[in-house]
Amino acid sequence: MRSLPLAILLLLSLRGFAQARPNCALRPASLAQMRHCYRPLLVFSPAANDPRLLKQQSALDSAADDMMDRFVLLLPVLVRKDGYESPLDTPYQLLSQKEIAAAREHFHVLNNQFAVFLLGEDGSIKLYSAAPISITRLNHLIDAMPDRKIEMQRPHAN
């Protein structure tokens, strides 16, 4: 009987992370670990308090259930992490400095630039924007993806 409250607490702590498949890491440490599991949303920002980052994060928080249903994982790509305030409800992951440097190089984003990239579960770029992306645009784009259409047809689909 004592294990029931512990199990409930464990499930609540994992609420912020939805998995696309049972073999996916709950806290993936790299873009490679996210492949075929999540749809990473990389938000490159020159500072943790950049208004564009805050606007994007606020929009995602307002639709956190949509993001979990679509296996979107926010990846803030910051020059410095100090001062960063994590989202309230949106699934997110902070990458290591090595992963951040690799992402900046791969996507050709300078330290002083703001950019948003949505990657598909296959790792390909599905959307690029130099400004925050609306939730409506993000949802429509993801819902039009072939793998998302298959997800929505499954029993108990998100």
Side-chain angles (χ1 to χ4, degrees):
M1 217 40 186
R2 291 183 65 181
S3 64
L4 184 59
L6 181 60
I8 292 170
L9 283 174
L10 178 62
L11 288 173
L12 287 175
S13 70
L14 297 176
R15 181 183 172 271
F17 272 80
Q19 290 175 278
R21 291 170 186 74
N23 61 338
C24 294
L26 281 176
R27 293 248 179 224
S30 68
L31 287 174
Q33 287 182 357
M34 294 174 204
R35 191 164 290 183
H36 304 296
C37 292
Y38 300 96
R39 294 181 179 96
L41 184 71
L42 292 98
V43 181
F44 293 85
S45 181
N49 63 352
D50 187 293
R52 297 165 294 186
L53 170 64
L54 299 176
K55 180 179 179 178
Q56 184 68 75
Q57 196 163 286
S58 176
L60 293 168
D61 262 346
S62 71
D65 288 342
D66 287 351
M67 298 305 99
M68 285 186 265
D69 288 349
R70 289 166 178 82
F71 306 112
V72 173
L73 187 59
L74 169 64
L75 300 173
V77 183
L78 306 168
V79 176
R80 291 182 19 222
K81 295 177 191 174
D82 49 312
Y84 176 70
E85 293 197 27
S86 59
L88 298 174
D89 295 317
T90 302
Y92 78 101
Q93 182 65 19
L94 294 176
L95 298 172
S96 70
Q97 286 305 120
K98 181 180 176 182
E99 286 290 319
I100 286 173
R104 285 194 177 280
E105 183 176 329
H106 179 78
F107 294 102
H108 308 288
V109 179
L110 301 175
N111 285 348
N112 64 349
Q113 288 181 301
F114 180 88
V116 180
F117 287 87
L118 174 66
L119 306 183
E121 287 185 357
D122 63 357
S124 65
I125 298 171
K126 301 297 183 183
L127 175 69
Y128 161 76
S129 177
I133 301 168
S134 75
I135 297 305
T136 302
R137 183 177 179 197
L138 196 58
N139 284 347
H140 286 303
L141 177 65
I142 293 169
D143 290 347
M145 295 176 183
D147 52 344
R148 174 65 180 152
K149 288 180 181 180
I150 293 168
E151 288 170 11
M152 291 188 296
Q153 292 174 358
R154 292 185 194 140
H156 310 292
N158 298 330

